[in-house]
Amino acid sequence: MRVLIDLTRCQGYGQCAFLAPDLFTMHGNEAVLYDPDPDDSQRENILRAAAACPVQAMHVDRMIVQHRHTPGPDSQGAAAFKRDGRIVIVGASLAGARAASVLRREGFTGSLTVIGDEAHAPYDRPPLSKRVLTGGVPAEHTTLPRLKKQIEGEWLLGAPASGLDLARKVVRLADGREVPFDKVLIATGTRARPWPHADQAALEGVHLLRSMEDSDALRQALARRPNRVLVIGGGFTGSEVASVCRELDLPVTVIERGSAPLSGALGGVIGKIAADLQRENGVDLRCGVSVTELQGDADGRLRGAVLSDGATVEAEVAVVALGAIRNVEWLHDSGLAASMWGVACDAGCRAVDVNGLVTDDVFVAGDIARFPHPAFGYQFMSLEHWGNALNQAEIAAHNMVSDQARRWPHLSMPVFWSTQFGVNIKSVGVPTFADQVMIAQGSPAERRFVAVYGYQGRITAAVMFDHGIWLDFYQRLIERAAPFPVDFRHADQAANDKPVAAQTPERIMPAAGATVVVTGHDPAERRVSFMRISP
Amino acid sequence: MAPQSVFKQIIDPDSRADPYQFYSELREMPVRREDDGTYVVSTYREIVDLLHDPRISSDRRNLARPAPGEDEADVMPSLSFIGLDSPEHDRLRRLTMRHFGPPHTPGRVTGLIPEMKRIVTELIDGIADRDRIDVVDDIAYPLPVGVICRILGVPHEDEPRFRVWAEAIVETLGPGEVDRAAREKRRVETGLQLSEYLKGLVDARRSTPNDDLLTGLVTYEGPDGRMTPEEIVRTAGLLLIAGHETTVNLITNGMLTLLRNPEMLERLRAEPDMIIKTVEELLRFDPPVHFLSSRVALADIEIGGVTIPAGSPIVLALAAGSRDPAHTPNPDDFDPDRPYNEHLGFGGGVHYCFGAPLARLEAQFAIGQLVARLRNPRLLSDPPPYRPSSTLRGPRHLMIAYDGVLPAAPSW
Ligand SMILES: Cc1cc2nc3c(=O)[nH]c(=O)nc-3n(C[C@H](O)[C@H](O)[C@H](O)COP(=O)(O)OP(=O)(O)OC[C@H]3O[C@@H](n4cnc5c(N)ncnc54)[C@H](O)[C@@H]3O)c2cc1C
Ligand code: HEM
Ligand code: SF4
C-alpha cells in the first residue's frame, strides 16, 4: 500500500497514531512519522486511520483531490483540446506528477508526456532529511501513491530536457530527441547547491541532500557511525540532518554563517530559540562563522574542515546544506523570464517572457515558479514548499485545459513545515517579509509558541513551534492584512508579548536558507537583490 | 408576539425527532444573535474558524453575565479541561493523554480491541433468544460504560451506578431548555456523589497502584508537573461523562439511519470494511453532539458579517455546519462513500474529542456486528422517542425486531 500524509494540512491530532500505532508515531506532541509503504496486512488499520483524520490529510493508494466547483460547460475549443490536445510536462516529481493526475481527472484524454531526468517514478522528498536518514523508512518507500487512475501517458524518465523552443513548440531532450506539444508545464524544481570547490566536494564523505540516492548514501554513511558529522548551513535541511544525528547519538557540528540556525528563514529572534533547541540536544553549534576549506586524507577521504575563525573541526562526514538552485538552465534560450529565483508566471500559472508578456501555452508550477502574490503587494514570490507544489500544480493543470472564464487563480498562502528535535515547526506567510516579531501565544521556554511577524504595522507571517493547530487563525489574519502588533485579548497569551526587531536578513540570498522570499516586481529579475518595497 | 426564532424552534423538544429541517434556515444567517445575547454560528467555515480562534474561550467564567442558574462555584467541580483554555487546558490534557494515547501510550486503545470485541459479542449473544430489543438499553448503553471503566480502572460491579450518574449530569447540558435551573441543581448534586466515589478510587490507587489510567494520573510527575487530587477527580469524571451518552447516541443513531436505508445495510453485509466510512458519515449526518454551547468571546470578533462583542456566549451548531452545502455536496444525503468527509462530529481545535479513537472503534464494532448478525432487523417505531437534550441528541429508546441472531464470525 502507499500512504502519504499532507503534512501541510495535518494539525497533529494524532488520530492516525491512535488507530494504527504500528504505522504512525507521534514524535513529540505534534509531529507524525510514518512509513509511506506499509505492509498490506495493515490495511484495516490504515483505512481506519485515514477515515479518522479530522482534516482528511491522508492519501491512501491514490492522491485525493479536494472538491472545487467550476461553473458552466467547456467551450468547443476547450472541449476539443481536452479530447485530443498534446500536453508535455517537464519535471517528474511532486508538481509534475500531481499535474498529470489532475489533467486526467479534469477529463483530458489527449496525449500526455512526462519528462524527468531522474530514473525513478515520482517520489516524496521531505522524508529524505528525516526518517529515511535514521533508517526508519527505506528510501524507495517514498514513491508517491499511485494516482487514482494509473496515469496514462508516456513517461520519459531518465531523460533530461535541454531546451524549450517556443516558436516550434517542442521540448528538446539531451539525447537529441524532440517532443512536440500544444501546451507545456514547467516543473523542474530545484537542486542542492554544491560545495563551491569541486576537488573538495569530491572527497569521500561529503554529501548533498536532494534526491533518493543522496539520502540513501547519507543514511549508509551515518550507519557507519562516523566520528563526527559536520553540517554546513543551519537552514531547515541542515537542522533536520543535525536532529537525525542526535537521534542516532552521533556527534554533530553545525556551522551557520548567520547569527543563528533558521535565521535566514525565520529571523534572528526565533533563530535564537532554534539555537537553544539545538544546543540542548547536544549539537555543537557555531554561528557567525563559515567553512573555508574541506580537507581530505591521502586516500581522498574527508578528514575535517577549517573555519573562517581559524578553528578546525574533525569530521568523517560533511553535509553541504547551502540551499537550492533552481533548475532553469535548460530554459536559457527560451525567451522566458527565468532567473535564479525561478520562472516568472502570472496568478494563473502562465509563464511570463523576458519582455513581460504572458504566454498562452506555457505554464509553471512548484519550486521553479515565481508568482505574484496579492497579500504581498503583487510582488513575485519564490518558494520551496511541498504544499505549494501540490496546490500550484493542481491549479496549473486545471487552467491548462480550461477556458479563460473558468480558470482558477493561485492565491494560496505559503505554508511550510519542518520536524526537528521532536518539535513540529510550521510557518505561514513570509517570515522574511517583516520588521518586527512578537510571541503571541505559548512559551518559548517550553518550545510551544506562536510567533507573529509584522511589516509596517501589518501581520505578514506566523511561525509555530508545536502549536500548529492555531495556524489557520493566523493565516486569516495575514490574508486580511490585520494590524500588527496583536493586541486583542486571547487565550494562551504569552508572558512577554512585546514586539521586537525581527532581525530578518537585510539581503535575501538563495543560499541563506529562506524557504519563501518576496523578490520584487520585475518578472525578468536577474539580480541578487531583495526588494523590500512596501505594498 | 414576535415569531419564534429558528434556533428556539430547534431546541424546542417537539423538534427533537427532526431538527435537520430547520438547519438550512439557520444557516441563512451564518452568525445570528438571539434575544438573550447568545450568538449562534451555523456554517461550516465560520464554525471551523472559531474552533481555531484563540479569542474564543471554553471557560464560562469569561461570560460578561453568567447564564441563569449558572455560577462559578456550581460549574467548576464538574468541568476539568473541557471547560478551560490553553495553556492550562493543554497541560491537563497532555497529562491525561500520557496515559491514554500517543505519544507516550500509543497502544492503549488498540490494545483494548479484543476486550471491546468480547463485550460486543457477549451483548449480542445475550439477545440471541429474543425477537425484539431496545438498541439503547440492550446494546448501546452497556458498551461505552464497560469500556471506559476498564480504561480508568473502575470495578465492574460499580458500572450501573455510573450509568445513573452520567445520565443525570448529561440531561442538564444544553442551551436554554426549560427548567434549566432545577436541572443544574440536580447536576451539581450528582456531580458531588460522583466526586465522592472517585475520591475513594483515587485513594485506593495511591496505596495500591496498577496499570490503569487512574493509577497513571495519581502517580505520574514530569515536565508538566502532576495533577492535584482534585484535578484527577474532575478529569476522571469528565472521561466518564463525556464518552457516555455521546457513544450511546452514535450507536443508536447509526442503527436508526441504517434501518431507514436498507440498501446500505445490504452493502455493509457484503463489504464489512464499509463500516469505517459509514461511522464517519454518521458522525456528519446524524451526530450525537449538535451544539457546543460552552464558548465565550474574549474580544470583539468579526465573523460572518457580524461583530460578536467580548463576553458574549456563543453556540457552535456543529450538526448544521456538517450539513453545509458550501462545504460538501448534497449534504442531506446519507452517503458513506462521500469523499473527503471532514465533519464536525468530534468538534475541532484544541478541544477536539479526547476519546474519538475509542468512540470510533466502539461504534464500528457495535453497529458492524449488529448488521452482520441480526437477521432481517426492522424498526418498530419511527421516529423513536427522543431524550430532551437538543445538544446531546439521541433516542431514549430504539425498539427493533428481528428473526434471529447469527453466530459471530470466527475471524472477528
Ligand atoms: C531533503 C528535503 C526535505 C524537504 N522537507 C520539506 C519539508 O519538511 N516541508 C516542506 O514544505 N517542503 C520540504 N521540502 C521541499 C519539497 O520537497 C519541495 O517543495 C518539492 O519537492 C517541490 O516539488 P517540485 O515538483 O516543484 O520540484 P522537485 O521536487 O525539485 O522536482 C523537480 C524534478 O524535475 C527534474 N528536473 C530538473 N531539471 C530537469 C530537466 N532539465 N529535465 C527533466 N527533468 C528535470 C528534477 O530532477 C526533479 O525530479 C524538502 C525538500 C528536500 C529536498
Ligand atoms: C461518539 C462519541 C463521542 C462524540 C460524538 C464526542 C464528541 C465530542 C465533542 C464534540 C467534543 C468537543 C467539546 C468541546 O469542544 O467543547 C468532545 C470533547 C471531549 N470528549 Fe468526546 N465524544 C465522544 C466520545 C468520547 C469518549 C468515548 C470519550 C472518553 C474517553 C470522550 C472524551 C472527551 C473529552 C475528555 C473531551 C474534552 C476534550 C478537551 O476539552 O480537550 N468523548 N467530544
Ligand atoms: S491531522 Fe490527520 S494525519 Fe495529522 S496527526 Fe492527525 S490524524 Fe494524523
Side-chain angles (χ1 to χ4, degrees):
Chain A
M1 295 184 84
R2 288 286 171 186
V3 176
L4 180 74
I5 296 182
D6 180 342
L7 290 168
T8 306
R9 292 178 62 79
C10 166
Q11 297 183 355
Y13 281 106
Q15 300 301 302
C16 51
F18 260 111
L19 292 169
D22 296 340
L23 298 175
F24 305 95
T25 33
M26 301 306 288
H27 196 54
N29 282 303
E30 226 181 82
V32 50
L33 300 178
Y34 66 103
D35 184 339
D37 188 13
D39 198 80
D40 273 352
S41 64
Q42 294 278 356
R43 192 182 152 73
E44 194 178 21
N45 291 337
I46 292 169
L47 291 181
R48 281 199 189 116
C53 176
V55 290
Q56 291 292 288
M58 208 181 292
H59 305 257
V60 179
D61 281 344
R62 60 189 176 92
M63 308 260 297
I64 45 176
V65 185
Q66 207 162 357
H67 163 82
R68 274 180 211 254
H69 183 67
T70 318
D74 289 325
S75 70
Q76 274 188 4
F81 180 73
K82 268 189 187 174
R83 203 171 47 243
D84 42 37
R86 290 174 306 175
I87 291 182
V88 171
I89 297 174
V90 188
S93 180
L94 185 61
R98 173 72 166 186
S101 76
V102 173
L103 283 172
R104 290 304 190 207
R105 180 205 63 186
E106 293 265 340
F108 176 72
T109 53
S111 98
L112 177 61
T113 309
V114 185
I115 298 169
D117 62 358
E118 295 186 88
H120 309 281
Y123 59 92
D124 196 31
R125 296 183 202 275
L128 301 182
S129 52
K130 305 175 181 81
R131 276 200 98 190
V132 171
L133 291 183
T134 59
V137 168
E140 64 278 8
H141 281 199
T142 56
T143 306
L144 289 170
R146 226 178 341 114
L147 309 143
K148 182 169 184 176
K149 279 188 208 134
Q150 191 70 282
I151 307 168
E152 286 159 49
E154 195 175 354
W155 290 73
L156 300 177
L157 299 179
S162 58
L164 176 65
D165 186 333
L166 289 182
R168 293 174 48 231
K169 294 189 111 172
V170 295
V171 173
R172 287 193 302 273
L173 301 188
D175 61 15
R177 277 182 289 176
E178 291 192 338
V179 186
F181 61 83
D182 297 320
K183 295 190 183 178
V184 63
L185 176 69
I186 297 172
T188 47
T190 63
R191 64 182 182 274
R193 179 179 304 279
W195 184 245
H197 311 287
D199 52 330
Q200 297 171 19
L203 291 170
E204 188 186 331
V206 179
H207 294 259
L208 290 174
L209 187 50
R210 180 82 203 170
S211 68
M212 204 187 251
E213 288 84 359
D214 294 342
S215 180
D216 201 46
L218 181 56
R219 175 192 63 77
Q220 290 177 32
L222 298 182
R224 287 193 289 270
R225 308 207 61 80
N227 62 352
R228 174 168 294 276
V229 178
L230 175 71
V231 176
I232 308 175
F236 282 105
T237 306
S239 299
E240 288 179 3
V241 171
S243 168
V244 165
C245 291
R246 293 311 301 140
E247 205 179 318
L248 297 172
D249 200 25
L250 292 170
V252 56
T253 298
V254 173
I255 308 296
E256 165 59 43
R257 185 200 300 262
S259 65
L262 309 187
S263 60
L266 307 181
V269 179
I270 305 308
K272 167 82 175 51
I273 299 167
D276 293 346
L277 187 62
Q278 294 208 357
R279 294 204 166 102
E280 249 160 58
N281 282 280
V283 174
D284 168 30
L285 172 67
R286 315 218 193 151
C287 300
V289 291
S290 48
V291 174
T292 51
E293 187 190 350
L294 293 173
Q295 296 178 322
D297 62 14
D299 300 324
R301 276 193 297 258
L302 178 72
R303 197 157 44 80
V306 184
L307 309 187
S308 55
D309 62 1
T312 55
V313 179
E314 270 184 40
E316 288 167 350
V317 168
V319 181
V320 179
L322 293 173
I325 297 180
R326 290 178 164 74
N327 292 317
V328 290
E329 292 78 0
W330 69 284
L331 295 169
H332 79 275
D333 61 356
S334 65
L336 294 178
S339 71
M340 62 187 307
W341 294 114
V343 180
C345 62
D346 72 355
C349 310
R350 291 178 304 174
V352 176
D353 75 12
V354 279
N355 299 314
L357 297 180
V358 176
T359 59
D360 279 335
D361 305 324
V362 186
F363 291 75
V364 194
D367 281 7
I368 189 83
R370 182 167 170 255
F371 57 93
H373 202 292
F376 298 89
Y378 290 95
Q379 292 194 61
F380 283 100
M381 188 179 271
S382 290
L383 36 73
E384 295 157 45
H385 291 181
W386 191 96
N388 179 66
L390 209 67
N391 280 335
Q392 201 174 12
E394 182 177 357
I395 290 164
H398 168 86
N399 290 350
M400 286 177 98
V401 293
S402 298
D403 291 322
Q404 175 100 1
R406 293 157 51 91
R407 291 195 182 141
W408 294 332
H410 176 54
L411 305 173
S412 51
M413 216 15 103
V415 177
F416 177 83
W417 86 90
S418 166
T419 303
Q420 43 186 282
F421 306 103
V423 175
N424 198 38
I425 302 178
K426 281 210 160 185
S427 148
V428 57
V430 186
T432 47
F433 196 78
D435 47 25
Q436 287 197 304
V437 63
M438 66 184 284
I439 306 295
Q441 276 184 247
S443 149
E446 290 175 24
R447 312 288 181 242
R448 272 191 284 270
F449 64 88
V450 180
V452 176
Y453 293 71
Y455 181 62
Q456 296 190 347
R458 299 282 161 197
I459 297 177
T460 52
V463 169
M464 284 132 265
F465 277 44
D466 271 356
H467 252 43
I469 205 150
W470 300 106
L471 186 142
D472 287 359
F473 173 70
Y474 292 96
Q475 176 167 336
R476 303 236 180 283
L477 295 185
I478 301 165
E479 283 163 357
R480 290 207 312 264
F484 181 93
V486 168
D487 61 355
F488 44 77
R489 185 175 168 220
H490 61 89
D492 199 24
Q493 200 132 5
N496 178 3
D497 59 2
K498 292 236 168 7
V500 298
Q503 301 174 27
T504 45
E506 269 310 303
R507 286 170 68 81
I508 300 281
M509 309 213 285
T515 62
V516 46
V517 294
V518 168
T519 58
H521 284 105
D522 178 0
E525 169 60 38
R526 284 173 192 278
R527 284 163 299 147
V528 195
S529 60
F530 169 44
M531 309 282 145
R532 207 162 3 196
I533 298 163
S534 60
Chain B
M1 213 179 88
Q4 210 187 14
S5 87
V6 57
F7 184 59
K8 290 234 172 59
Q9 264 172 291
I10 292 167
I11 61 179
D12 187 308
D14 288 341
S15 306
R16 208 59 74 240
D18 183 13
Y20 300 107
Q21 56 180 316
F22 301 110
Y23 284 164
S24 57
E25 187 184 339
L26 189 66
R27 280 188 307 261
E28 275 168 22
M29 231 162 131
V31 181
R32 70 173 70 215
R33 184 182 185 279
E34 292 296 302
D35 289 342
D36 65 358
T38 300
Y39 286 79
V40 180
V41 184
S42 53
T43 42
Y44 185 87
R45 188 69 260 162
E46 279 66 30
I47 294 172
V48 169
D49 280 356
L50 291 183
L51 285 169
H52 291 85
D53 191 326
R55 297 170 301 177
I56 299 291
S57 170
S58 285
D59 188 336
R60 304 288 285 180
R61 289 172 297 183
N62 289 310
L63 280 174
R65 288 176 298 126
E70 186 177 345
D71 72 48
E72 200 179 301
D74 283 354
V75 187
M76 279 316 287
S78 54
L79 282 182
S80 184
F81 55 83
I82 199 170
L84 295 174
D85 295 333
S86 303
E88 206 36 32
H89 161 275
D90 304 6
R91 185 184 77 93
L92 290 170
R93 182 164 167 142
R94 276 197 303 270
L95 278 169
T96 314
M97 191 57 91
R98 175 167 276 275
H99 314 289
F100 180 69
H104 300 285
T105 319
R108 179 153 234 149
V109 169
T110 41
L112 269 169
I113 288 179
E115 180 68 6
M116 287 189 238
K117 289 186 167 180
R118 194 188 57 73
I119 300 178
V120 168
T121 301
E122 244 176 56
L123 288 169
I124 300 181
D125 287 348
I127 58 164
D129 53 0
R130 296 164 52 183
D131 59 7
R132 60 183 55 205
I133 54 163
D134 175 5
V135 173
V136 177
D137 280 348
D138 294 311
I139 306 287
Y141 251 110
L143 176 62
V145 188
V147 172
I148 195 69
C149 286
R150 291 297 186 290
I151 289 184
L152 276 173
V154 172
H156 194 59
E157 61 275 17
D158 293 339
E159 283 179 24
R161 291 212 261 163
F162 274 104
R163 179 175 165 169
V164 177
W165 287 330
E167 209 166 328
I169 292 176
V170 163
E171 296 271 275
T172 63
L173 302 172
E177 271 134 35
V178 278
D179 61 337
R180 178 161 183 148
R183 287 156 181 242
E184 203 73 45
K185 188 157 163 285
R186 200 152 75 85
R187 172 164 78 157
V188 173
E189 285 165 12
T190 317
L192 287 175
Q193 289 171 22
L194 177 62
S195 302
E196 277 311 305
Y197 173 84
L198 289 170
K199 267 186 206 131
L201 273 187
V202 166
D203 289 341
R205 287 305 181 282
R206 211 180 298 281
S207 45
T208 40
N210 58 30
D211 61 0
D212 56 33
L213 192 146
L214 214 47
T215 302
L217 296 182
V218 170
T219 55
Y220 174 79
E221 175 155 16
D224 280 316
R226 66 188 310 155
M227 278 200 193
T228 64
E230 206 185 331
E231 284 169 345
I232 296 174
V233 168
R234 285 186 201 160
T235 303
L238 171 64
L239 295 183
L240 279 170
I241 304 301
H244 187 45
E245 199 80 10
T246 44
T247 314
V248 173
N249 288 346
L250 180 56
I251 296 170
T252 315
N253 293 348
M255 286 309 291
L256 176 62
T257 301
L258 288 172
L259 291 169
R260 285 173 174 168
N261 292 273
E263 67 300 338
M264 255 330 288
L265 218 55
E266 274 316 308
R267 247 189 90 188
L268 268 178
R269 288 197 188 102
E271 301 167 54
D273 270 359
M274 271 301 291
I275 191 64
I276 296 170
K277 298 197 80 184
T278 302
V279 167
E280 292 312 311
E281 177 67 348
L282 287 169
L283 283 158
R284 187 196 70 81
F285 179 80
D286 197 9
V289 181
H290 276 234
F291 304 107
L292 295 179
S293 40
S294 56
R295 301 304 202 269
V296 184
L298 291 176
D300 291 356
I301 296 170
E302 265 177 62
I303 183 144
V306 173
T307 302
I308 305 178
S312 307
I314 300 175
V315 171
L316 303 178
L318 301 180
S322 286
R323 287 192 182 209
D324 184 344
H327 171 61
T328 191
N330 308 319
D332 292 326
D333 294 352
F334 174 65
D335 174 16
D337 290 316
R338 186 175 296 277
Y340 223 82
N341 191 350
E342 257 181 280
H343 56 73
L344 298 170
F346 288 119
V350 291
H351 291 281
Y352 184 84
C353 178
F354 181 90
L358 206 57
R360 286 187 156 108
L361 291 172
E362 290 178 35
Q364 286 166 18
F365 295 156
I367 299 172
Q369 285 298 295
L370 283 170
V371 170
R373 296 184 60 191
L374 297 187
R375 270 209 176 101
N376 188 22
R378 54 210 180 264
L379 292 171
L380 288 177
S381 64
D382 190 5
Y386 276 82
R387 282 170 206 287
S389 172
S390 60
T391 300
L392 301 186
R393 173 185 167 275
R396 184 177 288 290
H397 301 290
L398 182 67
M399 300 304 298
I400 63 168
Y402 48 91
D403 305 333
V405 173
L406 299 167
S411 64
W412 141 262

